[in-house]
Amino acid sequence: MKKEVSISAIKEGTVIDHIPSNVTLKVAEILNLDDVAGIISIATNLPSKKMAKKGIVKIGDKLLTQDEVNKIAVIAPDATVNIIENYNVKRKLKVLLPDIIEKIVKCSNPNCITNNEKAETRFYVLNKTPLKLKCHYCERAMNKEDIVLL
Amino acid sequence: MAFKNRDVISINDFSKEDLLHILKAAKSMEKSRPNLLKGKILATLFFEPSTRTRLSFIYAMESLGGKVLGFDDTKQSSLQKGESLWDTAKIVEKYSDIMVIRHPVEGSARLMAESSSKPVINAGDGANQHPTQTLLDLYTIQKVKGTLNNLNIGMVGDLKYGRTVHSLTNALSHFNPTFYFIAPEALQMPQNYLEELRQKNIKFVKEENLMKVSNKLDILYVTRIQKERFPDPVEYEKYKGYYKLDESLLKNIKNDLKIMHPLPRVDEINKKLDSTKHAVYFEQAANGIPVRKALLALALGKIK
Ligand SMILES: [Zn+2]
């Protein structure tokens, strides 16, 4: 198998590939990797056959759970996630949209409390494709084109 | 679901059984219970004026023997000095057993309920929810028609921005209604509400001319076309006074049609209709009392 790019292989950990390049840093931020002890490498603007430009996040010594992976569903629904053990792909995980999306998305209603006071956002997924969310606070529905990340 | 300590934030938080339970409790509050809430304190937090709603809560609490603390003069109190609603709820819960909040920002009541360990009742959060209004609307319909089931419900006026008609549509959807949405296209019921009705297989008709459908209706719910809801004042000028109900309506209605209005009215309903057997809007406003009594008593665990 020919590798598209090579950034250092990891022995144990998680590799998230095929992230839209422009949200790669956001993916790392959402995953909240502050407490990870292993090496984290982030690459953006990589050439890709499947997409225009892609990003990769490699997280050493940390095996992401399905719930953790699902947090990036809003911004990188087509990312591929490989769990690596002893340099081999042990498992592949799909990114699944959770039923509730917390903290990641901004409410599009300017008169919503989450845009007027410090309050963490929470949305219910009304529809997966096309994505439609309902704000827990102001109860407004938001279509895909109105969705803005925090 | 148990009602003790339960917040009343959105009509959408309540199942059909919950709604019927509250209406039953409201009916039991029609008789005097002067000591039911003795020793309990209600805090009213009105960040925007709504005299009728506030007085209705005060009256309900005091006639059940409870006390009311008002934090309503928001211009002078610390409430206006940049204190977060989250912190305000934490402070007010120390002085009270239950709180009622009205605030122009949508979702504010939900946030305060999450902050407060005491139950919170939403008395209106901007264009979003006003669940006690919806409950008193349901209570009124049940009272004047004897049932909530299988009714032909007409709604006329501003259906696009009207918070009360949106909530009432959601609540009545539990009871197999047929809706008649009477408004010019620009003020018609928003698509997402119509889509929800289609998904629930609820029949509805959109119509601009009230007289074309008036003879089908069991209930006609009239709303004011509110200037402050319009993003564009020119648009408002175009539609204000679009519907003015008067005696000519009476020629083409069912004998037992009941006309409702959340009040205050401007000129949507001519005063000449007030004395007819069809007008129930003042009775409707008065029904806020037993409904709010019931919600206070349920949340405080004094009735089941
Ligand atoms: Zn919102």
Side-chain angles (χ1 to χ4, degrees), chain B residues 237-270:
Chain B
E237 290 301 321
K238 208 154 88 192
Y239 294 112
K240 71 169 188 190
Y242 205 82
Y243 295 102
K244 288 183 181 166
L245 277 58
D246 56 27
E247 297 135 300
S248 65
L249 173 73
L250 304 178
K251 286 181 240 146
N252 193 39
I253 55 170
K254 282 190 185 178
N255 191 33
D256 58 355
L257 169 75
K258 299 297 178 195
I259 302 171
M260 296 171 67
H261 190 300
L263 304 180
R265 67 174 157 184
V266 185
D267 54 5
E268 307 85 33
I269 303 177
N270 192 300

Short mmCIF file of all heavy atoms in Angstrom, two decimals, chain B residues 237-270:
data_model
loop_
_atom_site.label_atom_id
_atom_site.label_comp_id
_atom_site.label_asym_id
_atom_site.label_seq_id
_atom_site.Cartn_x
_atom_site.Cartn_y
_atom_site.Cartn_z
N GLU B 237 -46.70 48.25 8.89
CA GLU B 237 -47.73 49.19 8.44
C GLU B 237 -48.68 48.53 7.44
O GLU B 237 -49.86 48.81 7.39
CB GLU B 237 -47.09 50.43 7.80
CG GLU B 237 -46.39 51.35 8.80
CD GLU B 237 -47.31 51.87 9.89
OE1 GLU B 237 -48.48 52.21 9.59
OE2 GLU B 237 -46.86 51.92 11.07
N LYS B 238 -48.12 47.63 6.65
CA LYS B 238 -48.90 46.96 5.62
C LYS B 238 -49.96 46.04 6.22
O LYS B 238 -51.04 45.87 5.68
CB LYS B 238 -47.92 46.13 4.75
CG LYS B 238 -48.38 45.92 3.33
CD LYS B 238 -47.19 45.69 2.39
CE LYS B 238 -46.78 44.25 2.29
NZ LYS B 238 -45.48 44.06 1.60
N TYR B 239 -49.63 45.43 7.36
CA TYR B 239 -50.52 44.38 7.88
C TYR B 239 -51.30 44.75 9.14
O TYR B 239 -52.20 44.04 9.52
CB TYR B 239 -49.72 43.11 8.13
CG TYR B 239 -49.20 42.52 6.86
CD1 TYR B 239 -47.84 42.49 6.57
CD2 TYR B 239 -50.09 42.01 5.90
CE1 TYR B 239 -47.37 41.97 5.39
CE2 TYR B 239 -49.62 41.49 4.71
CZ TYR B 239 -48.26 41.47 4.46
OH TYR B 239 -47.80 40.96 3.28
N LYS B 240 -50.93 45.86 9.78
CA LYS B 240 -51.68 46.20 11.00
C LYS B 240 -53.13 46.47 10.62
O LYS B 240 -53.42 47.05 9.57
CB LYS B 240 -51.05 47.40 11.72
CG LYS B 240 -51.22 48.71 11.01
CD LYS B 240 -50.81 49.88 11.92
CE LYS B 240 -51.18 51.17 11.23
NZ LYS B 240 -50.66 52.35 11.86
N GLY B 241 -54.03 46.02 11.44
CA GLY B 241 -55.44 46.21 11.14
C GLY B 241 -55.94 45.34 9.99
O GLY B 241 -57.00 45.60 9.42
N TYR B 242 -55.21 44.31 9.64
CA TYR B 242 -55.59 43.45 8.51
C TYR B 242 -56.87 42.67 8.82
O TYR B 242 -57.70 42.47 7.96
CB TYR B 242 -54.44 42.48 8.24
CG TYR B 242 -54.38 41.94 6.84
CD1 TYR B 242 -53.80 42.68 5.81
CD2 TYR B 242 -54.90 40.69 6.53
CE1 TYR B 242 -53.72 42.20 4.53
CE2 TYR B 242 -54.82 40.18 5.23
CZ TYR B 242 -54.23 40.94 4.24
OH TYR B 242 -54.17 40.45 2.96
N TYR B 243 -56.99 42.22 10.05
CA TYR B 243 -58.21 41.52 10.47
C TYR B 243 -58.89 42.30 11.59
O TYR B 243 -58.26 42.57 12.62
CB TYR B 243 -57.90 40.11 10.97
CG TYR B 243 -57.35 39.21 9.88
CD1 TYR B 243 -56.00 38.95 9.82
CD2 TYR B 243 -58.20 38.65 8.93
CE1 TYR B 243 -55.48 38.14 8.82
CE2 TYR B 243 -57.69 37.84 7.92
CZ TYR B 243 -56.33 37.58 7.87
OH TYR B 243 -55.83 36.78 6.88
N LYS B 244 -60.14 42.69 11.37
CA LYS B 244 -60.92 43.35 12.42
C LYS B 244 -62.25 42.62 12.51
O LYS B 244 -63.10 42.75 11.64
CB LYS B 244 -61.14 44.82 12.08
CG LYS B 244 -59.88 45.65 12.22
CD LYS B 244 -60.17 47.12 11.93
CE LYS B 244 -58.88 47.92 12.05
NZ LYS B 244 -59.00 49.27 11.47
N LEU B 245 -62.40 41.85 13.57
CA LEU B 245 -63.63 41.06 13.70
C LEU B 245 -64.76 41.93 14.24
O LEU B 245 -64.58 42.66 15.21
CB LEU B 245 -63.39 39.90 14.69
CG LEU B 245 -62.74 38.64 14.15
CD1 LEU B 245 -61.39 38.91 13.53
CD2 LEU B 245 -62.63 37.60 15.25
N ASP B 246 -65.92 41.85 13.59
CA ASP B 246 -67.09 42.56 14.11
C ASP B 246 -68.34 41.70 13.90
O ASP B 246 -68.22 40.51 13.60
CB ASP B 246 -67.24 43.94 13.45
CG ASP B 246 -67.32 43.84 11.94
OD1 ASP B 246 -67.77 42.78 11.44
OD2 ASP B 246 -66.94 44.80 11.26
N GLU B 247 -69.53 42.31 14.05
CA GLU B 247 -70.76 41.51 14.02
C GLU B 247 -70.99 40.79 12.69
O GLU B 247 -71.73 39.81 12.64
CB GLU B 247 -71.98 42.41 14.30
CG GLU B 247 -71.96 43.04 15.67
CD GLU B 247 -72.33 44.50 15.60
OE1 GLU B 247 -71.61 45.26 14.92
OE2 GLU B 247 -73.35 44.88 16.21
N SER B 248 -70.36 41.27 11.62
CA SER B 248 -70.57 40.60 10.33
C SER B 248 -70.09 39.15 10.37
O SER B 248 -70.55 38.30 9.61
CB SER B 248 -69.87 41.38 9.21
OG SER B 248 -68.48 41.34 9.42
N LEU B 249 -69.16 38.88 11.29
CA LEU B 249 -68.66 37.51 11.45
C LEU B 249 -69.78 36.56 11.87
O LEU B 249 -69.82 35.40 11.46
CB LEU B 249 -67.53 37.49 12.49
CG LEU B 249 -66.98 36.12 12.91
CD1 LEU B 249 -66.14 35.52 11.79
CD2 LEU B 249 -66.15 36.23 14.18
N LEU B 250 -70.71 37.08 12.69
CA LEU B 250 -71.72 36.23 13.33
C LEU B 250 -72.66 35.56 12.33
O LEU B 250 -73.29 34.55 12.65
CB LEU B 250 -72.54 37.05 14.34
CG LEU B 250 -71.70 37.76 15.42
CD1 LEU B 250 -72.59 38.57 16.34
CD2 LEU B 250 -70.88 36.74 16.22
N LYS B 251 -72.74 36.10 11.14
CA LYS B 251 -73.64 35.53 10.12
C LYS B 251 -73.14 34.19 9.61
O LYS B 251 -73.88 33.42 9.02
CB LYS B 251 -73.75 36.49 8.93
CG LYS B 251 -74.59 37.71 9.25
CD LYS B 251 -74.69 38.61 8.02
CE LYS B 251 -74.12 39.98 8.36
NZ LYS B 251 -73.45 40.64 7.26
N ASN B 252 -71.86 33.95 9.80
CA ASN B 252 -71.27 32.79 9.15
C ASN B 252 -70.42 31.96 10.11
O ASN B 252 -69.26 31.68 9.84
CB ASN B 252 -70.41 33.26 7.95
CG ASN B 252 -70.02 32.11 7.05
OD1 ASN B 252 -70.81 31.20 6.81
ND2 ASN B 252 -68.78 32.13 6.57
N ILE B 253 -71.02 31.60 11.25
CA ILE B 253 -70.27 30.79 12.22
C ILE B 253 -71.17 29.71 12.80
O ILE B 253 -72.39 29.76 12.71
CB ILE B 253 -69.74 31.65 13.40
CG1 ILE B 253 -70.89 32.41 14.07
CG2 ILE B 253 -68.64 32.58 12.94
CD1 ILE B 253 -70.50 33.08 15.36
N LYS B 254 -70.52 28.72 13.44
CA LYS B 254 -71.27 27.73 14.20
C LYS B 254 -71.87 28.42 15.41
O LYS B 254 -71.28 29.35 15.97
CB LYS B 254 -70.33 26.62 14.70
CG LYS B 254 -69.95 25.58 13.67
CD LYS B 254 -69.23 24.45 14.42
CE LYS B 254 -68.70 23.41 13.47
NZ LYS B 254 -67.96 22.33 14.20
N ASN B 255 -73.01 27.89 15.84
CA ASN B 255 -73.71 28.46 16.98
C ASN B 255 -72.87 28.47 18.26
O ASN B 255 -73.01 29.33 19.12
CB ASN B 255 -75.00 27.65 17.20
CG ASN B 255 -75.93 28.33 18.19
OD1 ASN B 255 -75.96 29.56 18.26
ND2 ASN B 255 -76.64 27.54 18.95
N ASP B 256 -71.98 27.48 18.37
CA ASP B 256 -71.19 27.37 19.60
C ASP B 256 -69.71 27.73 19.39
O ASP B 256 -68.84 27.28 20.13
CB ASP B 256 -71.32 25.98 20.22
CG ASP B 256 -70.87 24.90 19.25
OD1 ASP B 256 -70.55 25.23 18.08
OD2 ASP B 256 -70.82 23.72 19.66
N LEU B 257 -69.45 28.55 18.39
CA LEU B 257 -68.07 29.04 18.22
C LEU B 257 -67.66 29.86 19.45
O LEU B 257 -68.44 30.65 19.97
CB LEU B 257 -67.96 29.95 16.98
CG LEU B 257 -66.63 30.72 16.88
CD1 LEU B 257 -65.51 29.80 16.44
CD2 LEU B 257 -66.74 31.92 15.94
N LYS B 258 -66.42 29.64 19.91
CA LYS B 258 -65.89 30.47 20.99
C LYS B 258 -64.68 31.24 20.46
O LYS B 258 -63.81 30.66 19.80
CB LYS B 258 -65.48 29.61 22.19
CG LYS B 258 -66.62 28.82 22.80
CD LYS B 258 -67.72 29.70 23.39
CE LYS B 258 -68.88 28.87 23.95
NZ LYS B 258 -70.09 29.67 24.19
N ILE B 259 -64.66 32.53 20.78
CA ILE B 259 -63.57 33.39 20.30
C ILE B 259 -62.61 33.67 21.45
O ILE B 259 -63.03 34.11 22.53
CB ILE B 259 -64.12 34.72 19.75
CG1 ILE B 259 -65.12 34.45 18.61
CG2 ILE B 259 -62.97 35.61 19.25
CD1 ILE B 259 -65.87 35.69 18.16
N MET B 260 -61.31 33.41 21.21
CA MET B 260 -60.29 33.62 22.24
C MET B 260 -59.28 34.67 21.78
O MET B 260 -59.13 34.93 20.59
CB MET B 260 -59.57 32.30 22.55
CG MET B 260 -60.49 31.24 23.15
SD MET B 260 -59.70 29.60 23.28
CE MET B 260 -58.43 29.92 24.51
N HIS B 261 -58.59 35.26 22.74
CA HIS B 261 -57.55 36.25 22.44
C HIS B 261 -56.66 36.33 23.68
O HIS B 261 -57.16 36.41 24.80
CB HIS B 261 -58.21 37.61 22.16
CG HIS B 261 -57.26 38.65 21.61
ND1 HIS B 261 -56.13 39.06 22.29
CD2 HIS B 261 -57.26 39.35 20.43
CE1 HIS B 261 -55.49 39.97 21.55
NE2 HIS B 261 -56.15 40.17 20.43
N PRO B 262 -55.32 36.32 23.51
CA PRO B 262 -54.46 36.35 24.70
C PRO B 262 -54.44 37.71 25.40
O PRO B 262 -53.94 37.82 26.52
CB PRO B 262 -53.07 36.00 24.14
CG PRO B 262 -53.13 36.33 22.69
CD PRO B 262 -54.56 36.16 22.27
N LEU B 263 -55.00 38.73 24.79
CA LEU B 263 -55.03 40.10 25.33
C LEU B 263 -53.60 40.62 25.62
O LEU B 263 -52.74 39.82 25.90
CB LEU B 263 -55.91 40.19 26.58
CG LEU B 263 -57.37 39.72 26.42
CD1 LEU B 263 -58.11 39.86 27.75
CD2 LEU B 263 -58.08 40.50 25.33
N PRO B 264 -53.33 41.87 25.58
CA PRO B 264 -54.28 42.94 25.27
C PRO B 264 -54.60 43.01 23.77
O PRO B 264 -53.78 42.64 22.94
CB PRO B 264 -53.51 44.19 25.70
CG PRO B 264 -52.06 43.84 25.54
CD PRO B 264 -51.96 42.38 25.82
N ARG B 265 -55.80 43.48 23.47
CA ARG B 265 -56.17 43.64 22.07
C ARG B 265 -56.00 45.10 21.67
O ARG B 265 -55.97 45.99 22.53
CB ARG B 265 -57.62 43.22 21.86
CG ARG B 265 -58.60 44.14 22.55
CD ARG B 265 -60.05 43.80 22.23
NE ARG B 265 -60.90 44.31 23.32
CZ ARG B 265 -62.21 44.10 23.37
NH1 ARG B 265 -62.82 43.37 22.45
NH2 ARG B 265 -62.92 44.60 24.36
N VAL B 266 -55.91 45.34 20.40
CA VAL B 266 -55.93 46.72 19.91
C VAL B 266 -57.28 46.91 19.21
O VAL B 266 -58.24 47.36 19.83
CB VAL B 266 -54.76 47.02 18.96
CG1 VAL B 266 -54.77 48.49 18.56
CG2 VAL B 266 -53.43 46.69 19.63
N ASP B 267 -57.36 46.50 17.96
CA ASP B 267 -58.64 46.67 17.26
C ASP B 267 -59.03 45.40 16.50
O ASP B 267 -59.82 45.44 15.58
CB ASP B 267 -58.58 47.87 16.31
CG ASP B 267 -57.40 47.76 15.35
OD1 ASP B 267 -56.70 46.73 15.38
OD2 ASP B 267 -57.18 48.71 14.58
N GLU B 268 -58.43 44.25 16.92
CA GLU B 268 -58.72 43.00 16.18
C GLU B 268 -60.14 42.52 16.44
O GLU B 268 -60.73 41.85 15.59
CB GLU B 268 -57.78 41.87 16.62
CG GLU B 268 -56.31 42.15 16.55
CD GLU B 268 -55.80 42.85 17.79
OE1 GLU B 268 -56.30 42.61 18.90
OE2 GLU B 268 -54.90 43.67 17.64
N ILE B 269 -60.67 42.82 17.63
CA ILE B 269 -62.02 42.37 17.97
C ILE B 269 -62.84 43.58 18.41
O ILE B 269 -62.48 44.25 19.39
CB ILE B 269 -62.01 41.33 19.12
CG1 ILE B 269 -61.12 40.13 18.74
CG2 ILE B 269 -63.43 40.87 19.43
CD1 ILE B 269 -61.00 39.10 19.86
N ASN B 270 -63.89 43.86 17.68
CA ASN B 270 -64.76 44.98 18.02
C ASN B 270 -65.44 44.73 19.37
O ASN B 270 -65.89 43.61 19.65
CB ASN B 270 -65.82 45.14 16.91
CG ASN B 270 -66.56 46.44 17.02
OD1 ASN B 270 -67.22 46.71 18.05
ND2 ASN B 270 -66.45 47.26 16.00
#
